[in-house]
Amino acid sequence: MRKLRMGMVGGGIGSFIGDVHRKAAAIDGMIELVCGAFSSSAEKSKESGKALFLPEERCYADFEEMILAEKQLSDGERMDFIAITTPNYLHFAPAKLALQNGFHVVCDKPMTLNVEEAKELVTLLEQTGLLFALTHNYTGHPMVRQAKAMVAHGDIGKIRKIQVQYLQGWMAAPVEKIEGPKDFWRIDPAKSGLGGALGDIGTHAENLTEFITGLKITELAADLGRFGEGRVLDDDGNVLLRMENGAKGTMSFSQIAAGEENNLAIRVYGEKGSLEWHQENPNELITRWLNEPKKIFTPNGNGLYPEAALISRIPSGHPEGYLEAFATVYHGFANHLMAILAGKIPHKPVYPTVYDGLRGLQFISAAVQSDSNNAAWTKL
Amino acid sequence: MRKLRMGMVGGGIGSFIGDVHRKAAAIDGMIELVCGAFSSSAEKSKESGKALFLPEERCYADFEEMILAEKQLSDGERMDFIAITTPNYLHFAPAKLALQNGFHVVCDKPMTLNVEEAKELVTLLEQTGLLFALTHNYTGHPMVRQAKAMVAHGDIGKIRKIQVQYLQGWMAAPVEKIEGPKDFWRIDPAKSGLGGALGDIGTHAENLTEFITGLKITELAADLGRFGEGRVLDDDGNVLLRMENGAKGTMSFSQIAAGEENNLAIRVYGEKGSLEWHQENPNELITRWLNEPKKIFTPNGNGLYPEAALISRIPSGHPEGYLEAFATVYHGFANHLMAILAGKIPHKPVYPTVYDGLRGLQFISAAVQSDSNNAAWTKL
Amino acid sequence: MRKLRMGMVGGGIGSFIGDVHRKAAAIDGMIELVCGAFSSSAEKSKESGKALFLPEERCYADFEEMILAEKQLSDGERMDFIAITTPNYLHFAPAKLALQNGFHVVCDKPMTLNVEEAKELVTLLEQTGLLFALTHNYTGHPMVRQAKAMVAHGDIGKIRKIQVQYLQGWMAAPVEKIEGPKDFWRIDPAKSGLGGALGDIGTHAENLTEFITGLKITELAADLGRFGEGRVLDDDGNVLLRMENGAKGTMSFSQIAAGEENNLAIRVYGEKGSLEWHQENPNELITRWLNEPKKIFTPNGNGLYPEAALISRIPSGHPEGYLEAFATVYHGFANHLMAILAGKIPHKPVYPTVYDGLRGLQFISAAVQSDSNNAAWTKL
Amino acid sequence: MRKLRMGMVGGGIGSFIGDVHRKAAAIDGMIELVCGAFSSSAEKSKESGKALFLPEERCYADFEEMILAEKQLSDGERMDFIAITTPNYLHFAPAKLALQNGFHVVCDKPMTLNVEEAKELVTLLEQTGLLFALTHNYTGHPMVRQAKAMVAHGDIGKIRKIQVQYLQGWMAAPVEKIEGPKDFWRIDPAKSGLGGALGDIGTHAENLTEFITGLKITELAADLGRFGEGRVLDDDGNVLLRMENGAKGTMSFSQIAAGEENNLAIRVYGEKGSLEWHQENPNELITRWLNEPKKIFTPNGNGLYPEAALISRIPSGHPEGYLEAFATVYHGFANHLMAILAGKIPHKPVYPTVYDGLRGLQFISAAVQSDSNNAAWTKL
């Protein structure tokens, strides 16, 4: 066996999320970065590649050049997959071209600009049989896996109530006016899509909810806010949820929640008990019970299901964080791909896929539609 | 000056809330219990009175008897006010009779069964000039007062977003079937009113929101749940809020949130900062800021406004709890009444009053109406 | 039965600890304040009494006058016990005189100025058969009682290790120079005794340790600090502990721990599990186990021993605090005294007594001796 | 420039700490693993190398073979440094041989078995001018760097008091009897050195204390425990500390603190304020002040010194953990080495070095000596 070879789209030096993808791919020693189209210009791309210790000839001007050039390389050299770390509007095209040329894909979320593009990627996946990982990184926390396993094993009984939130404060001030609009592709509908905070962090809340509960959101009532002066896209949202099993809930997300950093949290209430998890303190799963005291689970601690224990890298009491969870998505993807390359029967993905991506776009679309109808109930 | 004299309606030995009222009234040494109509029978009332060290002749069979008999007593002996600690459906009649006979009133919440009764009490108050305290006890926590003061002083800027919740789990199991329905007046619309969890704890969430923010809820969209089999009244609720200044928010309350004890919490986000308070850990006020680290305020700790410092009874680091906050409502009421008895110009009440009671009933009414219209927006 | 009648020594209006004693005695409705020698002058004492709604004739100039005058009153009027809330050097004399004249005693800690006085009180108690409660108030927290019960039931196995601390910061600045030395009897050996922080808060740490573990400290090595310029008494201490069963531990106390409020905390490690409790968040008992997840107990919550459940006044999730714990000492004392007055066989005290007081003085004495020998091991 | 080339001593597949070193070295993309002597046999070493995607010829039978063979390789191929991840007794020899042959060293702690070996390595370092990083990984947390910076800038004033602890529970049960002694080199003085828990985790507590405060421990009084039946080395310790500036403190460490995972925590009290940090929740630095509310700092959050901000990899609110802190030691070392290779004037190390290693051995030695003298004060 050998390490898997990754090519990057976007993620030039200085990019937050590109750096995260690189570190996450590197931690477990299964993946090496071999090429990239890191920036909007060939020159900048080469600069970034140099800083990343890549040979100049594998730093490409754009993703088309990269995909076509790499396709010509020998089996022993050619990249295995691309990692797409560009703004939202630049996800679909490279993903599509990669799939059409036989490359697997790791892609940031939201997957595309709209539901139609998302469906096209689903179709392509099903046609090609290639792999597609969507970096809903929060699914990679051991305590999120424990939560999911506890629900699946019926520990808390039938779910009745959900509270989920993702609160940030970095857009509470008019940052786009202070720092200049050019850096703020997130507030531009052409680059970000229909949703602002909705697409950027609302989709994480939606994905986490469905991941842990194993339940689909069937309808929602969304009251979006646009608090920053002149903003066209939402920077805040308050949503009522109804789940396929009759459970109800609230979702709250915001980028104007002054002072919040990344306060993603979820509470799930069943008939027998309940679960609580906070992204900013991810190594605790708080559980409450009808007749027992509160119990707190920790990664590699006592009483875990194998699903959680398997993805804890270090002994209990040594915190894992954002990068490790992100790396777990890459790890699941790499394991899957290695198994296929080794000719083994491919297992079911344990990482978010193109279907999660489609689901995210449907969520964005429903929320925007609901909001434009004064928060009327809207089906997903 | 002398201690104020209190007569109780309800609150026989074994009653949770009656005992709370007694302890809350006793802590600050300004009030003495002198009489009561503690139970539904004269005999039981006398038993309770005996256990409370009261003379038999001042343990009455019912509130009518008590009010009329006490009226005949001399100035030096007669009770000054009644404390109503009965189930919801037994608030209005004793309150009305007391006011009509010149007694001040302390009353548990929700104030009455419906908006009409609430309005009648408002009118009576305005006609008589008597005092009326509603025991929205959570307003009595020093850190809630600090939060209110910080908002009022503009520290966090214009409010944009609110999250409020009150989560209990004691009705997650079918308790009314296990313990017998007779004890569960809360699930009986005739005794509880239109709301179940809504009236019992939703009103606390509503009151706390308006108390801290100083803003009215102008409309809401409420999706109520009735998860316990056979329950007619709500045992769960998810609500979208819109405030008079354009702020938006979510409210979540439940009595089927398995494992929760009394998880009342609120977060308020302004343009410049935000506040977070948890009833189960009431001696911290967590504040977050655009450009400064998170700051945590404590009762009698550094940096408080006088409004908070005034009602902290003990040095910082010594926790005050539920009873102390409850006592602060009594303390405010007693101070007010003593000032009046001493012939001083009466100050503005610093405790919840009949107007808060009316507001609570309007909230219940709007939420029930919204829910019956599939969570349509409904004005308060 | 009737309420018990309390006379106070010290605790004039404005006194922190006097007010605490009054509120603690009042909460449960079993005790009424009937007289007092509140201050160092007759006039001030009467002023305080008036503010407390007492008749002028029962506001005495000093404790001798009070004890002798009350002794002359009829059975139906005379105080039952005195509550001593004066500075340390004024505990012994009133306690002794009260006992000699047939009055029970509630006394603040440390009980006396030295071991000799403490022993004299022990002897007097044993001779008179009267009751004596020492207000080591932290023993009154439900979660402290749960901790004690868990140890006693063997839940955590044989104890091996203890960490205890009591950290305050109010003397980090030279407060005695800023506010004037007259208010600082605590820094005056003649009024405070051999220990500074040692007596004031170290004794709480010592008492809590022995209360929860049921083990005696057999020897200690104490390194005391005098960080405030010009201070003769310790304002800080670091201590090694050895317990009668072979367990070892550390104790740390301080009044110069800048920024701390009342950070009293204890951790107890046994062969099978461990317990952790924090006074500033007293409604949680954190427990850890060899093979189970961390469990957190709460007052009136799931899984408690009767010893804890009995002294929780309100439903789970409603915090109790400092005053309630203090009141539990009074409640235990009052129950005991009422049983005796009712002619029932007296039970074993469930509140700290004169023996705890003696133990505290022995602890102070040993720590001071150890410190003067460069922290040599010293037996208690 | 190019990536740095690392050779490993120890750390075969299945080794906890070896895997940690690899992940820590990989995260930042500056280092590649090129060879290793991973295990005690050539065969096992090759197996591990294969799993790590290494060519067979660079998987060596032992560290001597590796060092001598690598020395023969060309400049473009030869490893730059070795990472020593073996048990304590196998640190000195490979470190010495590597240095003698011109290789830089990263080494796990404690650095050697005794002070003499430690001094020999210091001498070798000074003679060769090579680099040596000791993986006291906890120094790599952003909030530890912030704490150090705050002390250095005088924010909390002159330090007066320190509390430090490292509590684990994994040896509370007789694990060496259950799992067999062969796996427990830590309880074997020949392999572990003079200290058990003392060397394994006590040195972390010592290093963290001196790192943050910038103060040397001048003397200590150590009371060590050997609670596990038959254990020769300490599994628990309670220590009094005196610092060079007159500050005092306590240190507590244990591997029999039942239920604890990796509870490393430190509190530092100065004249003006204090700092508190917990390894299990490493992304908070709690600070307390004489006249201001408690403030909590977070990585990349508001109000940080550059020293902390520089080593935060991701935006605030996204937790970093154990591996990231470990990686920061590698990152500091790699930056230093790259600067030297690039011919730049070498900066001062920002990572723990051979001098920290010597300090650790002196600490172990003093603590063992103090303990054998009934916890007598012993100079470091």
Side-chain angles (χ1 to χ4, degrees):
Chain A
M1 205 50 227
R2 57 171 179 81
K3 286 196 185 187
L4 297 174
R5 293 185 292 261
M6 175 168 89
M8 288 194 82
V9 181
I13 291 300
S15 143
F16 151 51
I17 203 65
D19 199 46
V20 164
H21 277 259
R22 273 189 294 274
K23 290 184 194 315
I27 287 176
D28 292 316
M30 303 169 78
I31 294 166
E32 60 182 329
L33 177 67
V34 296
C35 64
F38 297 105
S39 294
S40 47
S41 81
E43 192 185 358
K44 277 192 178 172
S45 186
K46 280 186 204 309
E47 261 176 59
S48 283
K50 191 176 171 191
L52 297 164
F53 310 114
L54 288 184
E56 196 176 327
E57 68 274 15
R58 292 183 83 178
C59 302
Y60 300 99
D62 54 43
F63 71 85
E64 290 93 343
E65 185 187 300
M66 179 170 83
I67 289 170
L68 300 178
E70 288 286 319
K71 202 179 178 183
Q72 308 306 320
L73 296 182
S74 71
D75 275 10
E77 208 179 358
R78 187 197 310 123
M79 69 175 181
D80 294 303
F81 70 94
I82 63 165
I84 303 175
T85 69
T86 37
N88 302 355
Y89 72 103
L90 288 171
H91 291 178
F92 174 67
K96 182 176 173 181
L97 192 67
L99 294 171
Q100 286 172 330
N101 285 280
F103 294 106
H104 307 278
V105 173
V106 174
C107 183
D108 219 283
K109 43 51 54 188
M111 186 167 72
T112 58
L113 277 189
N114 54 52
V115 173
E116 292 64 40
E117 289 178 355
K119 285 186 173 165
E120 197 174 332
L121 289 188
V122 169
T123 303
L124 260 173
L125 249 286
E126 293 177 350
Q127 288 170 349
T128 60
L130 292 162
L131 303 188
F132 191 104
L134 194 76
T135 51
H136 270 306
N137 50 293
Y138 302 113
T139 64
H141 282 285
M143 290 303 94
V144 168
R145 297 288 173 99
Q146 172 70 7
K148 181 183 180 63
M150 291 180 80
V151 170
H153 285 83
D155 293 1
I156 63 166
K158 187 184 168 191
I159 292 173
R160 288 169 159 181
K161 186 178 181 74
I162 294 163
Q163 275 190 318
V164 65
Q165 66 180 32
Y166 198 147
L167 304 174
Q168 299 179 331
W170 65 281
M171 289 178 69
V175 281
E176 66 271 44
K177 294 180 184 170
I178 299 165
E179 305 180 25
K182 75 176 158 45
D183 298 327
F184 283 87
W185 63 265
R186 288 195 191 285
I187 64 164
D188 177 354
K191 296 186 174 170
S192 192
L194 293 169
L198 180 60
D200 194 23
I201 58 177
T203 50
H204 277 307
E206 168 267 324
N207 183 262
L208 188 67
T209 300
E210 297 197 344
F211 182 80
I212 288 178
T213 67
L215 297 171
K216 297 291 178 206
I217 300 167
T218 48
E219 55 179 342
L220 55 75
D223 192 28
L224 304 181
R226 290 157 196 86
F227 287 98
E229 199 193 319
R231 284 182 196 152
V232 178
L233 294 176
D234 65 281
D235 52 18
D236 180 77
N238 297 287
V239 187
L240 299 179
L241 302 176
R242 288 178 179 160
M243 311 300 292
E244 56 177 314
N245 78 335
K248 296 169 181 286
T250 54
M251 177 189 290
S252 177
F253 54 83
S254 189
Q255 294 179 322
I256 55 91
E260 292 284 5
E261 297 182 340
N262 277 285
N263 193 343
L264 169 64
I266 188 166
R267 291 197 188 91
V268 179
Y269 296 93
E271 293 185 347
K272 299 191 285 183
S274 56
L275 308 173
E276 178 176 346
W277 182 78
H278 295 263
Q279 190 273 147
E280 293 187 352
N281 194 14
N283 295 298
E284 281 192 358
L285 180 66
I286 302 165
T287 69
R288 295 179 176 87
W289 306 95
L290 292 189
N291 299 307
E292 289 179 275
K294 183 156 74 170
K295 295 179 191 173
I296 298 185
F297 294 88
T298 55
N300 263 334
N302 294 325
L304 297 190
Y305 282 111
E307 290 89 331
L310 268 173
I311 65 164
S312 302
R313 287 172 181 80
I314 37 180
S316 62
H318 277 141
E320 297 185 81
Y322 177 83
L323 290 174
E324 288 86 344
F326 216 108
T328 293
V329 175
Y330 269 96
H331 187 269
F333 170 81
N335 262 342
H336 198 180
L337 183 49
M338 282 185 173
I340 287 171
L341 296 181
K344 294 178 191 159
I345 297 164
H347 54 72
K348 198 160 157 286
V350 293
Y351 50 88
T353 69
V354 74
Y355 299 103
D356 297 271
L358 172 57
R359 192 79 193 144
L361 271 298
Q362 288 168 335
F363 166 76
I364 294 171
S365 172
V368 168
Q369 188 186 332
S370 170
D371 178 62
S372 68
N373 290 320
N374 195 25
W377 286 105
T378 305
K379 304 243 182 273
L380 258 84
Chain B
M1 206 48 226
R2 57 170 179 81
K3 286 197 185 188
L4 297 173
R5 294 187 290 262
M6 173 168 87
M8 287 193 83
V9 181
I13 292 299
S15 144
F16 150 51
I17 202 67
D19 200 45
V20 164
H21 277 260
R22 272 189 295 275
K23 290 184 193 317
I27 287 177
D28 292 318
M30 303 167 79
I31 294 167
E32 59 183 330
L33 177 66
V34 296
C35 64
F38 297 106
S39 295
S40 45
S41 80
E43 193 184 358
K44 277 192 178 170
S45 186
K46 281 186 199 311
E47 261 176 61
S48 283
K50 192 176 169 188
L52 296 164
F53 311 113
L54 288 184
E56 196 176 325
E57 69 274 14
R58 292 182 84 176
C59 302
Y60 301 98
D62 53 43
F63 71 85
E64 289 93 344
E65 187 186 300
M66 178 169 84
I67 289 170
L68 300 179
E70 290 284 321
K71 203 179 175 183
Q72 307 306 320
L73 297 182
S74 70
D75 275 11
E77 208 178 357
R78 186 194 312 122
M79 70 176 182
D80 295 303
F81 70 94
I82 64 166
I84 303 175
T85 70
T86 39
N88 302 355
Y89 72 103
L90 288 171
H91 291 177
F92 175 67
K96 182 176 173 181
L97 193 65
L99 294 171
Q100 287 171 331
N101 284 280
F103 294 105
H104 307 277
V105 174
V106 174
C107 183
D108 219 283
K109 40 52 56 191
M111 186 166 73
T112 58
L113 278 188
N114 53 53
V115 172
E116 291 65 38
E117 290 178 354
K119 286 186 173 166
E120 199 173 332
L121 291 186
V122 169
T123 303
L124 261 172
L125 250 286
E126 294 178 348
Q127 288 170 347
T128 61
L130 293 163
L131 302 189
F132 191 105
L134 194 76
T135 51
H136 270 305
N137 50 293
Y138 302 113
T139 61
H141 282 286
M143 291 302 95
V144 168
R145 297 287 174 99
Q146 172 70 7
K148 182 182 179 64
M150 291 179 80
V151 171
H153 285 82
D155 292 1
I156 64 167
K158 188 185 169 192
I159 292 173
R160 290 168 159 182
K161 186 177 181 75
I162 294 163
Q163 276 190 317
V164 65
Q165 65 180 33
Y166 197 148
L167 304 174
Q168 299 179 332
W170 65 281
M171 289 179 70
V175 281
E176 65 271 44
K177 295 180 183 170
I178 299 166
E179 304 180 27
K182 74 174 160 45
D183 299 328
F184 283 86
W185 63 265
R186 287 195 192 285
I187 64 164
D188 178 353
K191 296 185 174 170
S192 193
L194 293 169
L198 180 60
D200 194 23
I201 56 177
T203 50
H204 276 307
E206 169 267 324
N207 183 262
L208 188 66
T209 301
E210 297 196 344
F211 182 80
I212 289 177
T213 65
L215 297 172
K216 298 288 179 207
I217 302 168
T218 47
E219 57 179 339
L220 55 74
D223 192 28
L224 304 181
R226 289 155 196 88
F227 286 98
E229 200 193 318
R231 285 182 194 151
V232 179
L233 293 175
D234 64 281
D235 52 17
D236 181 78
N238 298 287
V239 187
L240 299 179
L241 303 175
R242 288 177 181 163
M243 311 301 291
E244 57 178 314
N245 77 335
K248 296 168 182 283
T250 55
M251 177 190 290
S252 177
F253 54 83
S254 188
Q255 294 179 321
I256 54 91
E260 291 284 6
E261 297 182 341
N262 276 287
N263 192 342
L264 169 63
I266 189 166
R267 291 197 189 91
V268 179
Y269 296 93
E271 293 186 347
K272 299 191 283 183
S274 55
L275 308 174
E276 178 176 347
W277 182 78
H278 294 263
Q279 187 273 146
E280 294 188 351
N281 195 14
N283 296 298
E284 281 191 358
L285 179 67
I286 304 165
T287 69
R288 295 178 175 87
W289 306 96
L290 292 189
N291 298 308
E292 289 179 275
K294 184 157 71 172
K295 295 180 192 174
I296 298 184
F297 294 88
T298 56
N300 263 335
N302 294 326
L304 296 189
Y305 282 111
E307 290 90 330
L310 267 173
I311 65 164
S312 302
R313 288 173 180 79
I314 37 180
S316 63
H318 277 143
E320 297 185 80
Y322 177 83
L323 290 174
E324 287 85 345
F326 216 108
T328 294
V329 175
Y330 269 96
H331 188 269
F333 170 82
N335 261 342
H336 197 179
L337 184 48
M338 283 186 173
I340 287 172
L341 295 181
K344 294 178 191 158
I345 295 163
H347 54 71
K348 199 162 159 284
V350 293
Y351 50 87
T353 69
V354 74
Y355 300 103
D356 297 88
L358 172 57
R359 191 81 194 143
L361 271 299
Q362 288 168 334
F363 166 75
I364 294 172
S365 172
V368 169
Q369 188 188 331
S370 170
D371 179 61
S372 68
N373 290 322
N374 195 25
W377 286 104
T378 305
K379 302 244 182 274
L380 257 83
Chain C
M1 206 50 227
R2 58 171 179 80
K3 286 196 184 188
L4 297 173
R5 293 185 292 261
M6 174 168 89
M8 289 195 82
V9 181
I13 292 299
S15 143
F16 151 52
I17 203 66
D19 198 45
V20 164
H21 277 260
R22 272 189 294 275
K23 291 184 194 312
I27 287 177
D28 291 318
M30 303 168 78
I31 295 166
E32 58 182 331
L33 177 67
V34 296
C35 64
F38 297 107
S39 294
S40 46
S41 80
E43 192 185 0
K44 275 191 180 172
S45 186
K46 281 187 202 308
E47 260 177 59
S48 284
K50 190 176 171 191
L52 296 164
F53 311 113
L54 288 183
E56 196 175 326
E57 69 273 16
R58 293 182 83 178
C59 300
Y60 300 99
D62 53 43
F63 70 86
E64 290 94 344
E65 185 187 301
M66 178 169 84
I67 289 170
L68 301 178
E70 290 285 320
K71 204 180 176 183
Q72 308 306 320
L73 296 182
S74 71
D75 274 11
E77 209 179 357
R78 189 196 308 125
M79 69 175 181
D80 295 301
F81 71 95
I82 63 165
I84 303 175
T85 69
T86 37
N88 302 355
Y89 72 103
L90 288 171
H91 291 179
F92 175 67
K96 183 176 173 181
L97 192 66
L99 293 171
Q100 288 171 331
N101 285 280
F103 294 105
H104 308 277
V105 174
V106 175
C107 184
D108 219 283
K109 39 55 53 189
M111 186 166 73
T112 58
L113 276 189
N114 54 52
V115 173
E116 293 63 40
E117 291 178 353
K119 285 186 174 166
E120 198 174 332
L121 290 187
V122 169
T123 304
L124 260 173
L125 249 287
E126 293 177 351
Q127 289 169 347
T128 60
L130 293 162
L131 302 189
F132 191 104
L134 194 76
T135 51
H136 270 306
N137 50 292
Y138 302 113
T139 63
H141 282 286
M143 292 302 93
V144 168
R145 297 286 173 98
Q146 171 70 6
K148 182 182 179 64
M150 291 179 80
V151 171
H153 285 83
D155 292 1
I156 65 167
K158 188 185 168 191
I159 292 172
R160 290 168 158 181
K161 186 177 181 76
I162 292 163
Q163 276 189 319
V164 65
Q165 67 181 31
Y166 198 147
L167 305 174
Q168 299 178 331
W170 66 280
M171 289 178 68
V175 280
E176 66 271 44
K177 296 181 183 171
I178 299 165
E179 305 181 26
K182 74 175 160 45
D183 299 326
F184 283 87
W185 63 264
R186 288 197 190 285
I187 64 164
D188 177 355
K191 297 187 174 169
S192 191
L194 292 169
L198 180 59
D200 193 24
I201 57 176
T203 51
H204 277 306
E206 168 267 324
N207 182 262
L208 189 66
T209 300
E210 297 196 344
F211 182 80
I212 288 177
T213 66
L215 297 171
K216 298 287 179 209
I217 301 168
T218 48
E219 57 179 340
L220 55 75
D223 192 27
L224 304 181
R226 290 155 197 87
F227 286 98
E229 200 193 319
R231 286 184 194 150
V232 179
L233 295 175
D234 65 281
D235 52 17
D236 180 77
N238 299 287
V239 187
L240 299 179
L241 303 176
R242 288 177 181 163
M243 311 301 292
E244 57 178 314
N245 77 336
K248 295 169 183 284
T250 55
M251 177 190 289
S252 177
F253 54 83
S254 189
Q255 294 178 321
I256 54 91
E260 292 284 5
E261 297 182 341
N262 276 286
N263 192 343
L264 168 64
I266 187 166
R267 291 198 188 90
V268 180
Y269 296 93
E271 293 185 347
K272 300 191 285 184
S274 55
L275 307 174
E276 178 176 346
W277 181 78
H278 295 262
Q279 189 271 149
E280 293 188 352
N281 194 14
N283 297 298
E284 281 193 358
L285 180 67
I286 302 165
T287 70
R288 295 178 176 86
W289 307 96
L290 293 188
N291 299 307
E292 289 179 275
K294 182 156 74 170
K295 294 179 194 175
I296 298 184
F297 294 88
T298 56
N300 264 333
N302 294 324
L304 296 189
Y305 282 111
E307 290 90 332
L310 268 172
I311 64 164
S312 302
R313 288 172 180 80
I314 37 179
S316 62
H318 278 141
E320 297 186 79
Y322 177 83
L323 290 174
E324 288 86 344
F326 216 108
T328 293
V329 175
Y330 269 96
H331 187 268
F333 170 80
N335 262 341
H336 198 179
L337 184 49
M338 282 186 174
I340 286 172
L341 295 182
K344 295 180 190 155
I345 296 163
H347 54 71
K348 197 161 158 286
V350 294
Y351 50 86
T353 70
V354 74
Y355 299 103
D356 298 271
L358 172 57
R359 192 80 196 143
L361 271 299
Q362 288 168 334
F363 166 76
I364 294 171
S365 171
V368 168
Q369 188 186 332
S370 171
D371 178 61
S372 68
N373 290 322
N374 196 23
W377 287 105
T378 305
K379 302 246 182 271
L380 259 82
Chain D
M1 205 49 225
R2 58 171 177 82
K3 285 195 184 188
L4 297 173
R5 292 185 293 260
M6 173 169 89
M8 287 194 82
V9 181
I13 292 299
S15 142
F16 151 52
I17 204 66
D19 199 45
V20 163
H21 277 260
R22 273 189 293 275
K23 291 185 194 315
I27 287 177
D28 292 317
M30 302 168 79
I31 295 166
E32 60 183 328
L33 177 67
V34 297
C35 64
F38 298 105
S39 294
S40 48
S41 80
E43 192 185 359
K44 276 192 177 170
S45 186
K46 281 186 200 309
E47 260 175 60
S48 283
K50 192 175 168 188
L52 296 165
F53 311 113
L54 288 183
E56 197 175 325
E57 70 273 15
R58 294 182 83 176
C59 301
Y60 300 98
D62 54 41
F63 72 83
E64 290 93 343
E65 187 187 299
M66 180 170 83
I67 289 169
L68 300 179
E70 289 285 321
K71 202 178 176 183
Q72 307 307 321
L73 295 182
S74 72
D75 275 10
E77 208 178 358
R78 186 197 310 122
M79 68 176 184
D80 295 301
F81 71 94
I82 65 165
I84 302 175
T85 70
T86 39
N88 302 354
Y89 72 104
L90 288 171
H91 291 178
F92 175 67
K96 182 176 173 180
L97 193 66
L99 294 171
Q100 288 171 329
N101 285 280
F103 294 105
H104 308 277
V105 174
V106 174
C107 184
D108 219 283
K109 39 52 57 190
M111 185 167 74
T112 59
L113 278 189
N114 53 53
V115 173
E116 292 65 38
E117 290 178 355
K119 286 186 172 165
E120 200 174 331
L121 290 188
V122 169
T123 304
L124 261 173
L125 249 286
E126 293 176 349
Q127 289 170 348
T128 60
L130 292 163
L131 302 189
F132 191 104
L134 194 76
T135 51
H136 270 306
N137 49 292
Y138 303 112
T139 61
H141 282 285
M143 291 302 93
V144 169
R145 297 288 173 97
Q146 171 69 7
K148 183 183 178 64
M150 290 178 81
V151 171
H153 285 83
D155 292 0
I156 64 166
K158 188 184 169 193
I159 292 173
R160 289 168 158 183
K161 186 176 181 75
I162 294 163
Q163 276 190 318
V164 65
Q165 64 179 33
Y166 197 147
L167 304 174
Q168 299 179 332
W170 67 280
M171 289 179 69
V175 281
E176 66 271 44
K177 295 182 182 170
I178 298 166
E179 305 180 26
K182 73 174 161 43
D183 299 328
F184 283 86
W185 63 264
R186 288 196 191 284
I187 64 164
D188 178 355
K191 296 186 174 170
S192 192
L194 293 170
L198 180 59
D200 195 23
I201 57 177
T203 49
H204 277 307
E206 168 267 323
N207 182 262
L208 189 65
T209 301
E210 298 196 344
F211 183 80
I212 288 178
T213 66
L215 297 171
K216 297 291 178 205
I217 300 168
T218 48
E219 56 180 340
L220 54 76
D223 191 28
L224 304 182
R226 290 155 196 87
F227 287 98
E229 200 193 319
R231 285 183 193 150
V232 179
L233 294 176
D234 65 281
D235 52 17
D236 181 77
N238 298 288
V239 187
L240 299 179
L241 303 175
R242 289 178 181 162
M243 311 301 292
E244 58 178 313
N245 77 335
K248 296 168 181 284
T250 56
M251 177 190 290
S252 177
F253 54 84
S254 189
Q255 294 179 321
I256 54 92
E260 292 284 6
E261 297 183 340
N262 276 287
N263 192 343
L264 169 64
I266 188 166
R267 291 199 189 89
V268 179
Y269 297 93
E271 294 185 346
K272 298 191 284 182
S274 56
L275 307 174
E276 177 175 348
W277 182 79
H278 295 263
Q279 189 271 148
E280 293 188 351
N281 194 16
N283 296 299
E284 281 191 358
L285 180 68
I286 303 165
T287 70
R288 295 178 176 87
W289 306 96
L290 293 189
N291 298 307
E292 290 179 274
K294 183 156 73 171
K295 296 178 193 175
I296 298 185
F297 294 88
T298 56
N300 264 334
N302 294 326
L304 297 188
Y305 282 111
E307 291 89 332
L310 268 172
I311 66 165
S312 303
R313 288 171 180 82
I314 37 181
S316 63
H318 277 141
E320 296 187 79
Y322 177 83
L323 290 174
E324 287 86 344
F326 215 108
T328 294
V329 175
Y330 269 97
H331 187 268
F333 171 81
N335 261 343
H336 198 179
L337 184 47
M338 281 185 173
I340 288 172
L341 295 182
K344 296 177 189 157
I345 296 162
H347 53 71
K348 198 162 159 285
V350 292
Y351 50 88
T353 69
V354 75
Y355 299 103
D356 297 270
L358 172 57
R359 191 81 193 142
L361 271 298
Q362 288 167 334
F363 166 76
I364 294 172
S365 173
V368 168
Q369 188 187 330
S370 170
D371 178 62
S372 68
N373 290 322
N374 196 25
W377 286 106
T378 305
K379 302 244 183 275
L380 258 82

